[in-house]
Structures are given as C-alpha cells and as structure tokens.
Amino acid sequence: MTYDEAKKKILIKWLVGAPVVVAASLSSAVSALKMFYFGLHNGDQLSDAIALPIKRLVYLIYENTNFLEFFWKHSPIPTPKELLSNSNIQFFVIYLIIFVGMALVGSARSLSARLAEIDKEIENELIRESVKGKPPRKRQEIQEQVSVPKPSWLSQFHTLYLAPIVVGLVVAAIAKLSGLV
C-alpha cells in the first residue's frame, strides 16, 4: 500500500467507524434505558417502590433528549428472561456493531501513527540529503517510494473478540445482581 492509499484508508475508516460507534452506542444506551423502564417491575410493592425512581429518571432522560427520538422509537427493548427473542438478537447485533466500529477507528488510529513515523523518517531523509550536499529530492518523490505495511487482522483481536465478551459478562453479572434475570 502506498502512502497516499494509506491516507485514504485512514479517512475512510474514520468516516465509517466513528458514526457507526456513535449510532450503535446511542441505540444500545437507549435500549438499556427502555429495558429498565419497561422491565423493572414484577408486581410486588417492594420492587415497584425500587423501580419508581429509576423509571422517573428514564422518563426524565426521554423528555430531555428529543433529538434522539429516532433511537427511542426504533431501538429494541431487550428482555433478559427470553434470551433468543427477536428484540434480544437485534440488541446483540447492534451491541456487536459497536465493537466493529471501534475496530475500524482503532485501525485508522494505528495506521495514522504508522504514517506519522513515516513522515518523521521522510523529514530525516530530506535533512540527511541536504547535509550530504546531494540535490534534495522532493517530499512527494519519497512518499511515492514508501510502502506502508498492511495491518494484521490479529491486531484487532482484543477489540473485536475479547472486549464484547468481557463487557457482556459484566453486564450479565449486574443484571443478575439487580434482579433483572
């Protein structure tokens, strides 16, 4: 991959990854709030008394986030007691999309850091050539000769595979302790 191709890849990964992370994160957060609002009561007085302040907080958030109306209407409501329900599967897919977006942003960030190192090396090369008295090449000439190595898919292992499992286990433990499951 050439220097210019690497710059284009960075831009594309940022432009795709960042909105995906933001949208999927907002949808997941709204889904969690909807789950707390609609799923925290089981009919007895004690659980209803505990659920009331949480429901009021979720309603307050709903009332003050009119700009998120799309997410409030279309985000699925997960039901912890029915793991294979349609809304749960939708929620988990959206949840996993967060990590795919994070992998894209992370890949863009690492490629950007790699290009920053290459820029330093190009600057050093220009300085060396000018010190030796050689006619200096143009920066563009050196950039065209540079080959940027492609990142390995294994570099995203933590973001794509390990992080969702760890976060899922923590959320499951919290749900178990709070009585949602």
Side-chain angles (χ1 to χ4, degrees), residues 82-103:
E82 302 171 22
L83 287 179
L84 295 177
S85 69
N86 227 5
S87 61
N88 279 357
I89 292 170
Q90 291 173 348
F91 174 76
F92 288 127
V93 168
I94 292 169
Y95 173 72
L96 291 175
I97 288 172
I98 293 172
F99 295 97
V100 171
M102 286 174 50

Side-chain angles (χ1 to χ4, degrees), residues 4 21 25 31 34 74-75 94 101 106 114 142 144 147 163 166 170:
D4 289 333
V21 168
S25 297
S31 290
K34 287 168 69 174
H74 299 291
S75 294
I94 292 169
R114 200 173 292 153
I142 298 173
E144 288 171 359
S147 175
V166 170
V170 169

Side-chain angles (χ1 to χ4, degrees):
M1 164 172 43
T2 66
Y3 186 87
D4 289 333
E5 288 173 349
K7 278 189 161 184
K8 287 177 188 174
K9 272 193 173 186
I10 290 171
L11 182 64
I12 290 169
K13 287 181 179 185
W14 269 107
L15 290 177
V16 171
V20 164
V21 168
V22 170
S25 297
L26 285 172
S27 180
S28 294
V30 168
S31 290
L33 289 172
K34 287 168 69 174
M35 178 186 68
F36 287 136
Y37 188 83
F38 293 113
L40 273 182
H41 59 84
N42 64 2
D44 64 354
Q45 275 188 324
L46 181 61
S47 68
D48 287 344
I50 293 172
L52 186 62
I54 295 172
K55 284 186 169 197
R56 285 185 180 161
L57 177 65
V58 172
Y59 183 73
L60 179 69
I61 293 170
Y62 170 75
E63 284 295 314
N64 290 307
T65 55
N66 291 333
F67 59 94
L68 296 177
E69 185 174 342
F70 175 82
F71 293 105
W72 284 105
K73 283 184 180 179
H74 299 291
S75 294
I77 303 171
T79 51
K81 295 178 182 173
E82 302 171 22
L83 287 179
L84 295 177
S85 69
N86 227 5
S87 61
N88 279 357
I89 292 170
Q90 291 173 348
F91 174 76
F92 288 127
V93 168
I94 292 169
Y95 173 72
L96 291 175
I97 288 172
I98 293 172
F99 295 97
V100 171
M102 286 174 50
L104 284 170
V105 169
S107 177
R109 199 177 291 152
S110 69
L111 191 54
S112 180
R114 200 173 292 153
L115 282 185
E117 290 176 21
I118 290 172
D119 277 338
K120 286 180 186 176
E121 289 298 320
I122 290 172
E123 289 295 325
N124 290 340
E125 181 66 25
L126 290 172
I127 292 170
R128 279 192 290 268
E129 287 180 3
S130 68
V131 168
K132 289 181 181 178
K134 294 180 181 177
R137 293 186 288 174
K138 292 186 178 180
R139 181 178 188 82
Q140 186 65 29
E141 291 175 29
I142 298 173
Q143 285 178 350
E144 288 171 359
Q145 293 175 349
V146 170
S147 175
V148 181
K150 292 184 179 181
S152 163
W153 66 273
L154 287 174
S155 65
Q156 300 298 320
F157 179 78
H158 174 267
T159 306
L160 280 176
Y161 304 109
L162 193 58
I165 292 170
V166 170
V167 172
L169 290 174
V170 169
V171 168
I174 291 171
K176 186 74 172 171
L177 292 173
S178 68
L180 287 173
V181 180

